[in-house]
Amino acid sequence: MTILVGYKRTPEGQAALGHGLEAASSTGAPLAIFPLADRDEAADLREDAALNAAIEAGATLLQSTRGGGHPAEELLDTAAEHDVALIVIGVRNRSRVSKLLLGSDAQSIILGATAPVLTVKVASDDR
């Protein structure tokens, strides 16, 4: 079964991608990457060295349908569609006020996923 990484071009996204690659390598499972980028950021992903290295290693880059849906919901729909074994996402610390005002994609994914979710924090020396 597939391992799905929710990827965004951030240190958190790159940490999630790294752990997804390790999990796929150790289990032999295929790796799929779901871009959590906005349409404007999607073009930047083509120039993303970490993402391109993962694709060259055999990962599949999925396309976001982005019919105006919420990124977390689209990732969960994709996970259900592909019957994934594991979802890997990067997380970062945010204030309670920020979470209240902006919501938390990570929280939505953790609470809404039917597959196990591995959350990855960025090592302090990666920031």
Side-chain angles (χ1 to χ4, degrees), residues 43-80:
D44 293 340
L45 289 177
R46 284 182 248 140
E47 300 171 5
D48 188 316
L51 181 62
N52 288 327
I55 293 169
E56 288 179 17
T60 302
L61 180 61
L62 302 175
Q63 298 297 316
S64 171
T65 55
R66 291 292 156 94
H70 192 272
E73 292 173 5
E74 289 192 30
L75 183 133
L76 291 173
D77 290 346
T78 300

Coordinates of all heavy atoms in Angstrom, one line a residue, residues 43-80:
A43 N 3.9 26.2 -9.7 CA 4.9 26.4 -10.7 C 6.3 26.3 -10.0 O 7.2 25.8 -10.6 CB 4.8 27.7 -11.4
D44 N 6.4 26.8 -8.8 CA 7.7 26.8 -8.0 C 8.1 25.3 -7.7 O 9.2 25.1 -7.6 CB 7.6 27.6 -6.7 CG 7.4 29.0 -7.0 OD1 7.8 29.5 -8.1 OD2 7.0 29.7 -6.0
L45 N 7.1 24.4 -7.6 CA 7.4 23.1 -7.3 C 8.3 22.4 -8.4 O 9.0 21.5 -8.1 CB 6.1 22.2 -7.1 CG 5.4 22.6 -5.8 CD1 4.1 21.7 -5.7 CD2 6.2 22.3 -4.5
R46 N 8.1 22.8 -9.6 CA 8.9 22.3 -10.7 C 10.4 22.5 -10.5 O 11.2 21.8 -11.0 CB 8.4 22.8 -12.1 CG 7.1 22.2 -12.5 CD 6.7 22.7 -13.8 NE 5.5 23.4 -13.6 CZ 5.2 24.6 -14.2 NH1 5.9 25.1 -15.1 NH2 4.0 25.2 -13.9
E47 N 10.7 23.6 -9.8 CA 12.1 23.9 -9.5 C 12.6 23.5 -8.1 O 13.6 23.9 -7.7 CB 12.3 25.4 -9.7 CG 11.9 25.9 -11.0 CD 11.8 27.4 -11.1 OE1 12.2 28.1 -10.1 OE2 11.4 27.9 -12.2
D48 N 11.8 22.6 -7.5 CA 12.1 22.2 -6.1 C 13.0 21.0 -6.2 O 12.6 19.9 -6.6 CB 10.8 21.8 -5.4 CG 11.0 21.5 -4.0 OD1 12.0 20.9 -3.6 OD2 10.2 22.0 -3.2
A49 N 14.3 21.2 -5.8 CA 15.3 20.1 -5.9 C 14.9 18.9 -5.0 O 15.1 17.8 -5.5 CB 16.6 20.6 -5.4
A50 N 14.4 19.1 -3.8 CA 14.0 17.9 -3.0 C 12.9 17.1 -3.6 O 12.9 15.9 -3.7 CB 13.6 18.4 -1.6
L51 N 11.9 17.8 -4.2 CA 10.8 17.2 -4.8 C 11.3 16.4 -6.1 O 10.9 15.3 -6.3 CB 9.7 18.2 -5.2 CG 8.5 17.6 -5.9 CD1 7.7 16.7 -5.0 CD2 7.5 18.8 -6.3
N52 N 12.1 17.1 -6.9 CA 12.6 16.4 -8.1 C 13.4 15.2 -7.8 O 13.4 14.2 -8.5 CB 13.3 17.4 -9.0 CG 12.4 18.4 -9.6 OD1 11.3 18.1 -10.0 ND2 12.9 19.7 -9.8
A53 N 14.2 15.3 -6.7 CA 15.0 14.1 -6.3 C 14.1 13.0 -5.9 O 14.4 11.8 -6.2 CB 16.0 14.5 -5.2
A54 N 13.0 13.3 -5.2 CA 12.1 12.2 -4.8 C 11.4 11.6 -6.0 O 11.3 10.3 -6.1 CB 11.1 12.8 -3.8
I55 N 11.1 12.4 -7.0 CA 10.4 11.9 -8.2 C 11.4 11.0 -9.0 O 11.1 9.9 -9.5 CB 9.9 13.0 -9.0 CG1 8.7 13.7 -8.3 CG2 9.5 12.5 -10.4 CD1 8.3 15.0 -8.9
E56 N 12.7 11.4 -9.0 CA 13.7 10.6 -9.7 C 14.0 9.3 -9.0 O 14.3 8.3 -9.6 CB 15.0 11.4 -9.8 CG 14.9 12.6 -10.9 CD 16.2 13.4 -11.0 OE1 17.2 12.9 -10.5 OE2 16.1 14.5 -11.5
A57 N 13.7 9.3 -7.7 CA 13.9 8.1 -6.9 C 12.7 7.1 -7.0 O 12.7 6.1 -6.5 CB 14.1 8.4 -5.4
G58 N 11.7 7.6 -7.8 CA 10.5 6.7 -8.0 C 9.2 7.2 -7.4 O 8.2 6.5 -7.6
A59 N 9.2 8.3 -6.7 CA 7.9 8.8 -6.1 C 7.0 9.3 -7.2 O 7.5 9.7 -8.3 CB 8.2 9.9 -5.1
T60 N 5.7 9.2 -7.0 CA 4.8 9.7 -7.9 C 4.2 11.1 -7.4 O 3.8 11.2 -6.3 CB 3.6 8.7 -8.1 OG1 4.1 7.5 -8.5 CG2 2.6 9.3 -9.1
L61 N 4.2 12.1 -8.3 CA 3.6 13.4 -7.9 C 2.2 13.4 -8.3 O 1.9 13.3 -9.5 CB 4.4 14.5 -8.6 CG 3.9 15.9 -8.3 CD1 4.0 16.2 -6.8 CD2 4.6 17.0 -9.1
L62 N 1.3 13.5 -7.4 CA -0.1 13.5 -7.7 C -0.5 14.9 -8.0 O 0.1 15.9 -7.6 CB -0.9 13.0 -6.5 CG -0.6 11.6 -6.0 CD1 -1.4 11.2 -4.8 CD2 -0.9 10.6 -7.1
Q63 N -1.6 15.1 -8.7 CA -2.1 16.4 -9.1 C -3.2 16.8 -8.1 O -4.1 16.0 -7.9 CB -2.6 16.4 -10.5 CG -1.5 16.1 -11.5 CD -0.4 17.1 -11.5 OE1 -0.7 18.3 -11.5 NE2 0.8 16.7 -11.5
S64 N -3.2 18.0 -7.7 CA -4.3 18.5 -6.9 C -5.4 18.8 -7.8 O -5.3 19.4 -8.8 CB -3.8 19.8 -6.1 OG -4.9 20.4 -5.5
T65 N -6.6 18.5 -7.4 CA -7.8 18.8 -8.2 C -8.2 20.2 -7.9 O -8.7 20.9 -8.8 CB -9.0 17.9 -7.8 OG1 -9.2 17.9 -6.4 CG2 -8.6 16.5 -8.2
R66 N -7.9 20.7 -6.7 CA -8.2 22.1 -6.3 C -9.4 22.7 -7.0 O -9.4 23.7 -7.7 CB -7.0 23.0 -6.7 CG -5.8 22.7 -5.8 CD -6.2 23.1 -4.4 NE -5.4 22.4 -3.4 CZ -4.3 22.8 -2.8 NH1 -3.8 24.0 -3.2 NH2 -3.7 22.1 -2.0
G67 N -10.5 22.1 -6.7 CA -11.8 22.6 -7.2 C -12.3 23.7 -6.2 O -13.5 23.9 -6.0
G68 N -11.4 24.3 -5.5 CA -11.8 25.3 -4.5 C -11.9 24.7 -3.1 O -12.3 25.4 -2.2
G69 N -11.5 23.4 -3.0 CA -11.6 22.8 -1.8 C -10.5 23.1 -0.8 O -9.5 23.8 -1.2
H70 N -10.6 22.7 0.4 CA -9.6 23.0 1.4 C -8.5 22.0 1.2 O -8.7 20.8 0.9 CB -10.2 22.8 2.8 CG -9.4 23.3 3.9 ND1 -8.5 22.5 4.5 CD2 -9.3 24.5 4.5 CE1 -7.9 23.2 5.4 NE2 -8.3 24.4 5.4
P71 N -7.2 22.4 1.3 CA -6.1 21.5 1.1 C -6.1 20.2 1.9 O -5.8 19.1 1.4 CB -4.8 22.3 1.4 CG -5.3 23.8 1.3 CD -6.7 23.8 1.6
A72 N -6.5 20.4 3.2 CA -6.5 19.2 4.0 C -7.6 18.2 3.6 O -7.4 17.0 3.5 CB -6.8 19.6 5.5
E73 N -8.7 18.7 3.2 CA -9.8 17.9 2.7 C -9.4 17.2 1.4 O -9.7 16.0 1.2 CB -11.1 18.7 2.4 CG -11.7 19.2 3.7 CD -12.9 20.2 3.4 OE1 -13.2 20.4 2.2 OE2 -13.4 20.8 4.4
E74 N -8.7 17.9 0.5 CA -8.3 17.3 -0.8 C -7.2 16.2 -0.5 O -7.3 15.2 -1.1 CB -7.7 18.4 -1.7 CG -8.8 19.3 -2.2 CD -8.2 20.1 -3.4 OE1 -7.3 19.6 -4.1 OE2 -8.7 21.2 -3.6
L75 N -6.4 16.4 0.5 CA -5.4 15.4 0.8 C -6.1 14.2 1.4 O -5.8 13.0 1.0 CB -4.4 15.9 1.8 CG -3.3 14.9 2.2 CD1 -1.9 15.5 2.1 CD2 -3.5 14.3 3.5
L76 N -7.1 14.4 2.2 CA -7.8 13.2 2.8 C -8.6 12.5 1.7 O -8.7 11.3 1.7 CB -8.8 13.7 3.9 CG -8.1 14.2 5.2 CD1 -9.1 14.9 6.1 CD2 -7.3 13.1 5.9
D77 N -9.2 13.2 0.8 CA -9.9 12.6 -0.3 C -8.9 11.7 -1.2 O -9.2 10.6 -1.6 CB -10.6 13.6 -1.2 CG -11.8 14.3 -0.5 OD1 -12.2 13.8 0.5 OD2 -12.2 15.3 -1.0
T78 N -7.7 12.3 -1.4 CA -6.7 11.6 -2.2 C -6.3 10.3 -1.4 O -6.1 9.3 -2.0 CB -5.5 12.5 -2.5 OG1 -6.0 13.6 -3.2 CG2 -4.4 11.8 -3.3
A79 N -6.1 10.5 -0.1 CA -5.7 9.3 0.7 C -6.7 8.2 0.6 O -6.4 7.0 0.5 CB -5.4 9.7 2.1
A80 N -8.0 8.6 0.7 CA -9.0 7.5 0.6 C -9.1 6.9 -0.8 O -9.3 5.7 -0.9 CB -10.4 8.2 1.0

